[in-house]
Amino acid sequence: QSALTQPPSASGAPGQSIVISCSGSRSNIGTNSVNWYRQLPGTAPQLVIYDNIVRASGVPDRFSGSKSGTSASLAISGLQSEDEGDYYCAPWDDTLSGPVFGAGTRLTVL
Amino acid sequence: QVTLRESGPALVRPTQTLTLTCTFSGLSLTTTAMRASWLRQPPGKAPEWLARIDWDDDKFYNTSLRTRLAISKDTSKNQVILTLSNVDPMDTATYYCARTRIDSASNFFFDFWGQGILVTVSS
C-alpha cells in the first residue's frame, strides 16, 4: 500500500483538460517537492514535472504541476492521444528516507 | 547523447543472488554531482527505489531492503552494479537504472532512465 493516493484512472476527450491528483502526508508532499513521471506500456518512466512545477526538457507547456499542503496535482490541457499512459507522483519521504511513488493513474484519451 | 543500459540474467532461482549491471554512455560516473540509482517495478505496480551511489562513492539504500542490497560502481567501465541477495519470487520485476539529480532545493528525481530488464525469480 502506497503512502500516496492517486486515482487509478482518468480520461478525457481530445482537446479537453484533466487534472490528476496525488494526496500524501506531512512526511512526503507536505515537506518535499513533488515529481511526476509518465510511463507508456513496455517502456521506462519519463520525467514530466520536477520541483512541483518545473517541466522537464521537451515537455510541452500543456503540462503543469502544482502543490498545496499535502496534495499535488498534474494538469494537462488540450489533451492529445500521445498523452496517454500511466502517471506517477513521486516525492521524497522523510519517514522512509527515500523517494516514494504513488500507485499511478492511467490516463486514457477517448 | 545519454544512454543507460541494464544487463543481467532474465531468470534467477529463489535464494540465489541477483547481479545487475548498468552501463552509462554520455555521462561519467566520476563527474562531480553524478548520482545513479536502481529502481524496480513489479508487473502492474508502481516503481520502487532501491539504492543510489554518488560520484564520491556514498551509498544509500531503501531501508526495507538494505540488508539484501549492495550497490557499487566500476569507473573504468562506467558501470553501476547492484546485487540483491536471497531472492524470492516477490523480487520478480523490471529493474531500471536511472541518473539521479538532487537540485539546489534538495529535490531528488530521476531524469534519465535505462530501458529496464525484466528479471523473473522462479524455480
Side-chain angles (χ1 to χ4, degrees), chain A residues 33 35 37 39 43-45 47 50-51 88 92 96-99 101-103, chain B residues 39 41 45-49 63 96 103 105 107-111 113-115:
Chain A
S33 295
N35 311 301
Y37 300 87
Q39 185 175 33
T43 68
L47 182 66
Y50 64 97
D51 273 348
Y88 297 96
W92 180 270
L96 300 175
S97 296
F101 285 78
Chain B
L39 303 96
Q41 185 173 27
K45 296 188 177 182
E48 175 185 35
W49 174 76
T63 54
Y96 296 100
D103 63 18
N107 185 33
F108 183 111
F109 56 96
F110 312 105
D111 61 350
W113 296 64
Q115 63 186 13

Side-chain angles (χ1 to χ4, degrees), chain A residues 2 4 17 22 25 40 50 54 57 62 75 88 90 92-93 99 101:
Chain A
S2 177
L4 305 167
S17 298
C22 176
S25 64
L40 299 175
Y50 64 97
V54 183
S57 176
R62 300 185 294 103
Y88 297 96
W92 180 270
D93 190 292
F101 285 78

Side-chain angles (χ1 to χ4, degrees), chain B residues 33-87:
Chain B
M34 174 62 193
R35 300 177 173 90
S37 289
W38 281 96
L39 303 96
R40 69 181 181 181
Q41 185 173 27
K45 296 188 177 182
E48 175 185 35
W49 174 76
L50 299 176
R52 179 187 115 211
I53 189 166
D54 294 351
W55 79 100
D56 57 2
D57 219 36
D58 273 350
K59 300 166 187 177
F60 304 86
Y61 295 98
N62 181 313
T63 54
S64 65
L65 293 166
R66 70 177 302 131
T67 60
R68 299 172 53 210
L69 288 168
I71 192 170
S72 62
K73 56 183 169 67
D74 183 336
T75 55
S76 67
K77 297 180 180 178
N78 220 31
Q79 293 177 334
V80 175
I81 300 101
L82 181 78
T83 63
L84 176 65
S85 63
N86 192 27
V87 299

Side-chain angles (χ1 to χ4, degrees), chain A residues 39-75:
Chain A
Q39 185 175 33
L40 299 175
T43 68
Q46 292 179 300
L47 182 66
V48 178
I49 296 284
Y50 64 97
D51 273 348
N52 303 318
I53 61 172
V54 183
R55 284 185 300 276
S57 176
V59 175
D61 59 7
R62 300 185 294 103
F63 289 78
S64 62
S66 63
K67 189 185 94 165
S68 178
T70 58
S71 294
S73 297
L74 174 69

